[in-house]
Amino acid sequence: MNQPHHRPDPYTERPWLNPAISPFIQIQGVTKRFGDFTAVNAVDLAIYQGELFALLGGSGCGKTTLLRMLAGFETPTEGRIIIDGLDMTEVPPYERPVNMMFQSYALFPHMNVFNNIAYGLRRDGIKSDELKRRVNDIIDMVELNPLTHRRPHQLSGGQRQRVALARALVKQPKVLLLDEPLAALDKRLREQTQFELMNIQDQLGITFVVVTHDQEEAMTLATRIAVMGAGQFEQVGTPADIYENPQTRFIAGFIGSANLLSGTVQDCQPEKGTDDAPDTSRVQIVTDEGNQLLSVSTDRVVAAGDAVTLAIRPEKISVTLQDSAVSDTADKVPDNAPNTVSNNGSGTVPGYVSGNVPENVLWGTVQEMAYLGRLSTFRIKTDAGPTLEVTAPNQRRVLDNRHLIDWDDRVRLTFSSDSAVLLTR
Amino acid sequence: MGHADKHRIGDLLQRNWKTLVTALPFIWLLLFFLAPFFIVLKISVAESLIASPPFSALLDWSDGGFPSMTINTDNYAYLWEDELYLRTYLNSLKIAAISTLLCLLIGYPMAYGIVRTSGTTRYLLLLLVILPFWTSFLLRVYAWIGLLTDQGTINDVLLWLGLTDKPIRLMYSEFAVYVGIVYSYLPFMILPLYANMEKLDLALNEAAGDLGAKPLTAFLTVTLPLTLPGIIAGCLLVFIPATGEFVIPDLLGGGNVLMIGRLLSSEFNANHDWPVASAVAVVLLILLVIPMMLYHRVQSRSTNAQPSAETA
């Protein structure tokens, strides 16, 4: 805000924040039932033009059913689907300005690459020169030139994926639906294809709706993510919103990994926000396991005695060896004085130190260590009770298999109150 | 020593079991299919005699050590000269072709419907298709007589409903033969079609629809070409045996329907003209080998297309 010329216009990057723009796809109160089973339950969603929107969830959460309703393969039991201002709820798939890339790719096995891609254009009555030009343009874009006469069974998985993409894009749909577009590719190809998809989307400006079960894929690809569970949206937001500010325990556990500590609110102190940050409160909670006192800042309204959950990501906890920790910093805590609430509940709170020093300090022992190359993950049993998962980047080379922190080491864990998230659901 | 021999036989079996497994049926076919065929071929070039057996020998050993071979092509010439045979062949092919088409028109939607169901329903429907095989074919054709005769069930119902005042002639007509053939051979159409359609990915139809194809266009451009191997297999399985069919035209068509199977039988049994009967059989076989070779070509082409070659 202070330097507007350095930032892109927030509305072109984030059209959903601009009240002047109306959404391109509107899903209004859509429910889909199959017999007794409710696959999608009264869902509302607005997707804006040019977005790369991800529907993320585990199997059976209703994400594919929602996508199939956008494509027209399923008709909603209740609710309406509006695309570019037109009610599409009852319109059959072959009359929708929408194309889909199928999870299995669904390439026609009896046609070569060219004819697969040309299929949609032929249905629109496009012939000869224009047909050739448009098919060849898209073949150039997905770099399939030498393969136009191959049949699908003569192509590799990655090539088939490109044909499927080209076939869906060649009709220049208003919306491209992608059902698990990268699921069938191996890891290396998947990463490469992710960026290609993003480039193509950027080039063509077509609105993409991607269904995926892979949270990493959703995080990399999407402008916004809707996390689905049991036929409803758990949270809709940008990847950073969802990762850094999960609204529920489900989200915190589903996206990335998180240490979830249930506890009770002991104290709630409001803090005045600055220009950049809204008002928050600093909340003291006591964990159910081990009566550990922890401090967390939140914009949620809670009162003393509320049952809450504190979520802290493994990478947001820093871990140091106990010996170096004691010598490095001023907060000298004896080994035999764990940070538990004193029985009288007086105002002095060990472990909570204001100022530049970390607000939450715990001591513990490394129970398990996994070396993953660029980082290591630890399971640390804290003296107070809860076991925490912590990851640390391996900034120094590990030589002679001597890890800086290893099994059974005594360690100090610290995290600041705004690194943790307070959850009420 | 005996022990060592047993060992070697075991080794031999182990190394060559694949050859053995394929060789045994081949030997069987050679003995019981090819050998009789050559016997028939031999008789077809013999002369008819009033003797036992009622035909002349191919090789005459009477002339010292050297046998003399007599090949008599009169029987084949006779088939060509007597218009009856040509007409009967053509009529057989016509009846077989129309029956095949009827089976396809009935069987294709049935197979498509069965594939679209799932679980128990699918297996129940398939069982119903196979169920007639559990009763003797002959018995089932006889049952049709009971339905089709002037005093049969169909005419009884029609009379009772007042739709006709005297029985309609259903038996001993081409109509009865069509009914019999379509009824008997329908499973042979449905089963290969089912096997082919079962492999069909339903997403392909959705993809066609998604790309702008209306249901009929999607069927014509995607489903139909992809089920073509099943259609061809089913058609040949119906057409080939229907052409030479004997029981159905004999029992349901009587003397009114010319079919080569009946003619062959009367040549053999009534006229005792084994050489002409054999010639009729050989010509029939040659007529049917053409579609069989066609079938084989389609089969081998489709199996060659199946393996998904991972060419980068």
Side-chain angles (χ1 to χ4, degrees):
Chain A
M1 299 292 161
N2 298 336
Q3 298 163 301
H5 52 284
H6 278 174
R7 294 186 183 184
D9 175 9
Y11 289 160
T12 57
E13 291 285 310
R14 304 191 185 98
W16 54 91
L17 297 176
N18 188 348
I21 295 179
S22 59
F24 197 63
I25 303 171
Q26 281 171 282
I27 296 170
Q28 298 173 342
V30 164
T31 296
K32 179 68 187 180
R33 283 186 214 100
F34 296 104
D36 290 340
F37 176 68
T38 306
V40 174
N41 192 0
V43 152
D44 288 290
L45 182 66
I47 298 172
Y48 291 81
Q49 188 152 29
E51 269 203 87
L52 207 167
F53 195 93
L55 295 169
L56 174 65
S59 60
C61 72
K63 59 188 193 303
T64 302
T65 307
L66 193 57
L67 193 79
R68 289 174 59 81
M69 285 193 280
L70 284 173
F73 301 135
E74 310 283 357
T75 313
T77 318
E78 283 162 32
R80 313 228 60 82
I81 290 172
I82 293 154
I83 298 171
D84 197 15
L86 296 170
D87 190 333
M88 287 285 152
T89 318
E90 307 288 337
V91 176
Y94 51 87
E95 281 170 9
R96 292 194 186 202
V98 165
N99 284 129
M100 177 148 157
M101 192 182 131
F102 289 78
Q103 183 175 7
S104 64
Y105 306 146
L107 298 178
F108 303 125
H110 57 303
M111 296 182 195
N112 63 22
V113 169
F114 184 94
N115 286 330
N116 259 286
I117 296 172
Y119 187 89
L121 294 176
R122 290 205 170 108
R123 300 288 84 74
D124 286 355
I126 291 162
K127 286 192 193 82
S128 55
D129 287 351
E130 198 196 342
L131 181 87
K132 256 185 220 160
R133 183 181 55 74
R134 285 179 65 177
V135 174
N136 286 328
D137 282 355
I138 208 91
I139 283 175
D140 281 343
M141 196 173 80
V142 295
E143 294 163 14
L144 283 167
N145 305 58
L147 307 170
T148 47
H149 296 293
R150 295 253 182 105
R151 293 274 186 94
H153 68 85
Q154 296 168 312
L155 301 175
S156 71
Q159 291 163 345
R160 275 181 231 168
Q161 195 258 7
R162 283 154 189 275
V163 178
L165 182 65
R167 190 179 68 174
L169 281 172
V170 75
K171 290 188 77 175
Q172 296 166 354
K174 288 180 180 171
V175 180
L176 182 71
L177 307 172
L178 302 102
D179 190 2
E180 304 274 4
L182 309 173
L185 306 179
D186 61 54
K187 192 175 188 299
R188 192 174 286 263
L189 199 57
R190 194 156 60 218
E191 279 168 10
Q192 184 195 333
T193 314
Q194 256 174 21
F195 291 107
E196 279 173 11
L197 268 183
M198 288 162 81
N199 276 338
I200 286 170
Q201 198 265 346
D202 215 35
Q203 251 176 52
L204 302 178
I206 294 173
T207 308
F208 279 31
V209 181
V210 180
V211 151
T212 179
H213 69 278
D214 182 334
Q215 42 115 343
E216 210 173 304
E217 188 176 306
M219 299 280 282
T220 332
L221 280 175
T223 49
R224 283 192 302 156
I225 299 171
V227 185
M228 280 189 90
Q232 285 185 311
F233 294 135
E234 292 279 338
Q235 188 172 350
V236 180
T238 62
D241 281 344
I242 285 176
Y243 188 77
E244 304 294 357
N245 198 10
Q247 300 292 303
T248 62
R249 290 177 70 120
F250 174 84
I251 296 284
F254 185 75
I255 310 289
S257 51
N259 295 295
L260 298 172
L261 300 167
S262 50
T264 313
V265 175
Q266 201 193 38
D267 180 37
C268 182
Q269 299 274 341
E271 282 185 344
K272 191 84 191 96
T274 59
D275 284 351
D276 279 339
D279 293 353
T280 55
S281 20
R282 185 178 292 272
V283 176
Q284 303 288 328
I285 77 157
V286 183
T287 60
D288 293 345
E289 187 187 0
N291 282 342
Q292 172 72 44
L293 194 72
L294 294 169
S295 156
V296 52
S297 73
T298 181
D299 50 8
R300 283 177 206 284
V301 183
V302 287
D306 286 358
V308 291
T309 299
L310 181 145
I312 177 83
R313 301 275 182 203
E315 76 279 7
K316 292 191 167 54
I317 303 174
S318 56
V319 55
T320 42
L321 280 174
Q322 177 174 306
D323 305 337
S324 60
V326 172
S327 58
D328 279 358
T329 51
D331 58 328
K332 218 171 160 71
V333 180
D335 292 359
N336 53 0
N339 306 318
T340 49
V341 188
S342 49
N343 286 338
N344 57 17
S346 66
T348 50
V349 179
Y352 164 46
V353 187
S354 63
N356 292 329
V357 267
E359 292 119 313
N360 295 298
V361 179
L362 295 99
W363 301 83
T365 310
V366 177
Q367 266 193 331
E368 276 176 64
M369 195 276 284
Y371 172 74
L372 303 175
R374 65 194 161 108
L375 49 83
S376 293
T377 87
F378 305 93
R379 288 181 64 81
I380 293 161
K381 174 86 177 156
T382 59
D383 297 345
T387 303
L388 296 179
E389 191 186 323
V390 179
T391 60
N394 288 313
Q395 287 177 323
R396 291 194 197 156
R397 291 169 68 206
V398 174
L399 296 173
D400 296 331
N401 291 310
R402 276 204 299 268
H403 294 279
L404 187 65
I405 300 170
D406 214 333
W407 295 66
D408 299 328
D409 280 347
R410 291 284 301 160
V411 290
R412 191 183 80 131
L413 303 175
T414 56
F415 60 92
S416 64
S417 64
D418 52 9
S419 295
V421 178
L422 189 74
L423 303 171
T424 50
R425 281 198 292 143
Chain B
M1 216 178 87
H3 203 75
D5 271 356
K6 242 186 239 166
H7 233 81
R8 278 174 60 190
I9 292 165
D11 273 3
L12 216 71
L13 274 173
Q14 212 154 42
R15 253 178 290 137
N16 299 318
W17 67 270
K18 273 185 198 162
T19 327
L20 247 142
V21 162
T22 42
L24 277 172
F26 269 111
I27 293 166
W28 182 272
L29 282 176
L30 210 69
L31 271 175
F32 297 106
F33 179 78
L34 214 53
F37 170 71
F38 279 114
I39 294 170
V40 170
L41 192 65
K42 189 197 89 162
I43 298 171
S44 77
V45 293
E47 255 176 85
S48 183
L49 298 174
I50 302 171
S52 178
F55 52 88
S56 63
L58 180 67
L59 301 174
D60 186 6
W61 297 87
S62 59
D63 193 27
F66 289 98
S68 65
M69 195 162 74
T70 40
I71 290 176
N72 171 23
T73 54
D74 288 356
N75 302 316
Y76 291 97
Y78 174 65
L79 292 189
W80 180 248
E81 281 154 15
D82 192 334
E83 195 201 351
L84 171 74
Y85 294 96
L86 189 67
R87 264 178 43 216
T88 312
Y89 276 120
L90 289 178
N91 206 45
S92 291
L93 292 175
K94 186 197 88 182
I95 289 176
I98 292 174
S99 306
T100 306
L101 194 70
L102 290 172
C103 278
L104 181 64
L105 290 177
I106 300 167
Y108 195 94
M110 275 180 80
Y112 201 66
I114 294 171
V115 170
R116 288 291 169 109
T117 60
S118 59
T120 330
T121 329
R122 185 189 275 206
Y123 290 109
L124 197 75
L125 290 172
L126 269 181
L127 189 77
L128 287 174
V129 171
I130 302 165
L131 206 62
F133 291 130
W134 295 3
T135 320
S136 152
F137 166 69
L138 207 60
L139 225 64
R140 284 183 282 129
V141 178
Y142 273 117
W144 273 104
I145 298 177
L147 288 168
L148 294 172
T149 50
D150 291 358
Q151 298 80 37
T153 318
I154 293 172
N155 271 315
D156 281 354
V157 170
L158 289 177
L159 286 167
W160 180 75
L161 287 172
L163 291 172
T164 174
D165 43 357
K166 63 176 192 313
I168 299 170
R169 189 118 184 95
L170 299 170
M171 270 298 282
Y172 306 121
S173 64
E174 283 205 353
F175 170 77
V177 174
Y178 283 126
V179 167
I181 292 179
V182 170
Y183 161 77
S184 304
Y185 289 99
L186 194 59
F188 296 103
M189 180 63 83
I190 294 173
L191 293 176
L193 278 172
Y194 170 84
N196 170 266
M197 288 175 182
E198 199 188 18
K199 290 181 284 181
L200 214 63
D201 184 2
L202 287 183
L204 293 178
N205 270 28
E206 287 184 345
D210 185 67
L211 293 165
K214 293 190 172 69
L216 182 67
T217 317
F219 174 78
L220 292 175
T221 54
V222 177
T223 313
L224 195 63
L226 287 174
T227 49
L228 204 59
I231 293 174
I232 292 172
C235 284
L236 289 168
L237 282 179
V238 174
F239 182 78
I240 292 168
T243 310
E245 181 57 48
F246 162 69
V247 172
I248 295 168
D250 195 54
L251 293 181
L252 301 179
N256 302 327
V257 182
L258 289 175
M259 276 196 86
I260 206 68
R262 272 196 85 240
L263 192 62
L264 193 149
S265 158
S266 67
E267 214 54 81
F268 190 85
N269 291 320
N271 288 359
H272 264 276
D273 195 340
W274 287 27
V276 168
S278 300
V280 168
V282 170
V283 171
L284 177 65
L285 192 98
I286 290 163
L287 276 177
L288 293 182
V289 155
I290 298 165
M292 261 182 343
M293 278 166 67
L294 246 135
Y295 175 52
H296 187 76
R297 257 192 62 192
V298 170
Q299 275 265 306
S300 59
R301 202 194 307 162
S302 68
T303 44
N304 283 344
Q306 281 306 314
S308 49
E310 288 282 322
T311 31

